[in-house]
Amino acid sequence: MMPPVMEQELQYGLRDVAATIDPSPASLMVDVYSGHLMPDEQVRIFGQTERAFATRAVRRGSSVRALGSGPARGLPALPVLANGTQYDLYDYVSRNRVAGLLVMQGDELVHEQYELGIAPDTRWISMSMAKSISTTLVGAAIRDGYIGSVDDQLTHYLPELGGSGYEGVSIRALMQMTSGVSWDDTHTNPDSERRHMLNLQIAQEPGAIMAYMAGLARKGPPGTLWNYSTGETHVVGALVHAATGKWLADYLSERIWSRIGTEADAAWWLEAPGGLEVAGSGICATLRDYARFGRFVLEGGVVDGESILPEGWAAEAGAAREVAGQRLDYGYMWWAVPARDGALADGAYSARGIFGQYIYINPARRILVVVLSARSKPRGAEAILDNDFFNSVVEAIG
């Protein structure tokens, strides 16, 4: 088990990793997001990205909750149906460069696997799975009375956004990414807003990302279009901090992480030393602890009989929406996951991050799947679609 690590010990610079990989810290992180890393180098970085930026610790509690009551039975014979072809578990893990895989059904640990040299104590980068954790903190803040409701105006809590593209935008629209504010989230495009945000993160200047967000143009009225934006999750983080008066890492620890039986402290990237967490990415945690967070959500956000989230929050957060007359399989920064026939009857949804990071939750079958990967490109590098794998797991054990 990884021992507790003090915050000051977590605050490394980019150069600590870059010293053995690349002489330029900036080019290192640009190469990560551009998909310009060789496999061994990528795995090494993904397993120690807490050293890439200043971080804040997410403290674990005093006791560990076991995952299951016995040894995992395994899934080696699992048929995986995708693109009209039958694959198997070996294909999925090898072709999709899966580093960690954990499957649970109810209280049973079905499968736990580590590849590419990672171990149970490896703290792997969340990428955008952090978005789903950040919006879960909005739910906790509503339950705790810090935020009135998802229909409150964002500027009530962040008056500095008054007169910006976020004037008149509700918390609900922000979390659904239907604010109407313009954004290009293409990681491989050096001229995109996402890459500009990365450059601001590399510069480690406090407040720079929020100032950038306040200057973005409005593309359409709130609620009329969906536009995936990592920048908007940074605004979610600023919202939680403003409403609660607490850093996201501290609030996550206080309300969830220290109470769900996690094995290790996690770490969360900061925009600058002492600044806001990068709410849209940059949580570093173990495979088992991501699973414990997933189980917390699967169980409705209840810990030791106490509801941490508003009633029905998890289902609402993972539900599909209708935007501009079309179904959108996206909730409060969780992705609705249709069954193989496109139906949403199971109410399944997932947190997901680039390069193949997932927490899949199927409430109807009480199935949880966590995937950690190191794929060659941010998006589109999987040989077997992950949703096909999740549906294959459900079909096999559900």
Side-chain angles (χ1 to χ4, degrees):
M1 181 184 303
M2 185 176 294
V5 184
M6 299 302 292
E7 178 178 337
Q8 60 266 31
E9 293 174 321
L10 288 169
Q11 294 184 353
Y12 300 95
L14 282 165
R15 199 171 299 278
D16 291 306
V17 175
T20 58
I21 300 172
D22 188 287
S24 167
S27 67
L28 168 66
M29 296 313 294
V30 168
D31 286 348
V32 167
Y33 281 90
S34 300
H36 292 165
L37 295 176
M38 289 298 178
D40 287 349
E41 184 179 42
Q42 185 186 43
V43 170
R44 187 164 65 251
I45 293 170
F46 281 15
Q48 61 174 344
T49 46
E50 65 198 70
R51 298 172 63 90
F53 296 103
T55 64
R56 186 169 287 117
V58 183
R59 302 294 182 194
R60 52 153 292 189
S62 59
S63 60
V64 174
R65 181 182 174 189
L67 289 173
S69 56
R73 56 184 165 88
L75 288 172
L78 175 73
V80 179
L81 305 178
N83 301 319
T85 301
Q86 180 167 311
Y87 301 94
D88 57 24
L89 179 65
Y90 305 98
D91 293 324
Y92 176 72
V93 170
S94 60
R95 296 187 185 203
N96 281 20
R97 287 190 50 80
V98 172
L101 174 63
L102 190 148
V103 179
M104 292 188 68
Q105 184 173 32
D107 292 327
E108 180 189 6
L109 176 60
V110 176
H111 188 89
E112 183 177 7
Q113 179 176 357
Y114 299 90
E115 299 292 338
L116 307 181
I118 82 165
D121 64 352
T122 301
R123 299 202 287 194
W124 196 259
I125 186 67
S126 68
M127 296 303 181
S128 288
M129 293 195 302
K131 293 179 170 66
S132 307
I133 295 175
S134 295
T135 56
T136 302
L137 293 180
V138 174
I142 291 173
R143 179 73 183 186
D144 290 343
Y146 292 116
I147 294 174
S149 80
V150 295
D151 294 316
D152 287 357
Q153 293 293 296
L154 186 58
T155 51
H156 175 74
Y157 302 92
L158 295 170
E160 63 268 31
L161 293 179
S164 75
Y166 290 97
E167 182 77 52
V169 173
S170 68
I171 294 171
R172 184 193 303 274
L174 178 72
M175 292 195 298
Q176 292 177 187
M177 294 192 181
T178 57
S179 68
V181 175
S182 182
W183 184 272
D184 177 1
D185 212 70
T186 307
H187 300 81
T188 53
N189 176 8
D191 297 321
S192 71
E193 283 86 359
R194 180 64 186 94
R195 284 287 290 273
H196 185 75
M197 178 183 173
L198 175 62
N199 291 337
L200 294 175
Q201 185 180 341
I202 290 170
Q204 293 278 278
E205 297 178 4
I209 298 175
M210 280 299 289
Y212 179 60
M213 298 304 297
L216 295 174
R218 175 70 67 76
K219 187 177 181 180
T224 63
L225 57 90
W226 180 73
N227 190 34
Y228 189 85
S229 169
T230 295
E232 299 212 324
T233 319
H234 197 78
V235 180
V236 167
L239 164 68
V240 172
H241 179 252
T244 65
K246 302 174 183 181
W247 299 116
L248 269 68
D250 294 341
Y251 192 48
L252 175 58
S253 173
E254 173 191 330
R255 301 303 287 138
I256 301 173
W257 205 258
S258 68
R259 305 184 59 192
I260 58 175
T262 51
E263 296 182 20
D265 291 349
W268 202 333
W269 282 349
L270 304 180
E271 62 176 357
L276 288 171
E277 288 82 356
V278 180
S281 61
I283 295 176
C284 306
T286 68
L287 176 69
R288 291 173 180 169
D289 285 347
Y290 284 126
R292 288 182 172 93
F293 178 82
R295 181 170 60 181
F296 160 77
V297 176
L298 178 60
E299 293 176 346
V302 177
V303 179
D304 297 329
E306 179 188 353
S307 294
I308 306 299
L309 304 176
E311 184 176 355
W313 177 270
E316 173 70 13
R321 303 289 193 275
E322 185 173 291
V323 178
Q326 295 185 334
R327 189 181 94 180
L328 173 67
D329 290 340
Y330 196 73
Y332 297 157
M333 300 189 185
W334 290 84
W335 297 83
V337 180
R340 201 176 299 279
D341 62 1
L344 297 170
D346 280 359
Y349 50 94
S350 70
R352 75 187 196 191
I354 56 173
F355 299 102
Q357 327 311 324
Y358 288 89
I359 301 173
Y360 167 82
I361 296 170
N362 187 310
R365 314 297 180 95
R366 294 191 55 74
I367 291 174
L368 168 70
V369 183
V370 183
V371 179
L372 305 179
S373 309
R375 299 173 190 171
S376 61
K377 290 290 184 288
R379 295 192 182 101
E382 67 278 7
I384 299 170
L385 291 179
D386 298 279
N387 282 359
D388 286 334
F389 175 72
F390 301 144
N391 283 321
S392 295
V393 171
V394 170
E395 290 159 2
I397 70 173

